[in-house]
Amino acid sequence: MSIYVGNLSYKVTEEDLTAVFAEYGSVKRVQLPVDRETGRMRGFGFVEMSTDEEEEAAIEALNGAEWMGRDMKVNKAKPRENNRRPAGGGRRENNNFSRRY
């Protein structure tokens, strides 16, 4: 299981997030995605802990908690959905690409 942590300050580091979650158990991994174009943090991250019980305790304690001037959103991460559109800007219809003008 992985934990989604949203509404984070753009100044937060992996070390900062690890320290907060370590109060509830052993942190296995922290991931803070960055924008490909700007390199700036995107304002959310993911935390993996050693056990489901530790993750549940962290979610319960930290969801809605104020940290670094923001109210964190903390819940179970959902599987990533692939919502990407086909390349070329066209719309796929009957296995053919067509463009709308």
Side-chain angles (χ1 to χ4, degrees):
M1 181 170 97
S2 186
I3 300 172
Y4 167 82
V5 186
N7 200 32
L8 293 174
S9 166
Y10 294 110
K11 296 178 182 178
V12 72
T13 66
E14 289 183 9
E15 293 78 19
D16 293 334
L17 209 52
T18 299
V20 169
F21 278 81
E23 294 182 30
Y24 303 95
S26 178
V27 177
K28 289 172 51 176
R29 186 171 82 133
V30 173
Q31 182 182 12
L32 293 172
V34 294
D35 184 272
R36 289 182 202 167
E37 293 179 18
T38 65
R40 182 178 171 187
M41 204 190 95
R42 296 178 64 192
F44 66 91
F46 299 95
V47 176
E48 289 181 27
M49 299 183 78
S50 294
T51 67
D52 289 345
E53 292 78 18
E54 292 172 348
E55 290 182 348
E56 291 294 333
I59 291 168
E60 180 72 27
L62 297 174
N63 188 36
E66 184 180 338
W67 185 55
M68 296 181 83
R70 294 175 168 240
D71 294 335
M72 289 192 294
K73 308 265 188 263
V74 183
N75 52 47
K76 290 182 182 181
K78 297 176 183 170
R80 184 175 182 173
E81 293 180 10
N82 188 359
N83 292 333
R84 295 188 152 206
R85 293 190 175 209
R91 236 180 88 203
R92 192 169 182 136
E93 294 178 8
N94 300 328
N95 293 327
N96 296 317
F97 284 98
S98 64
R99 293 191 182 265
R100 287 189 172 181
Y101 296 97

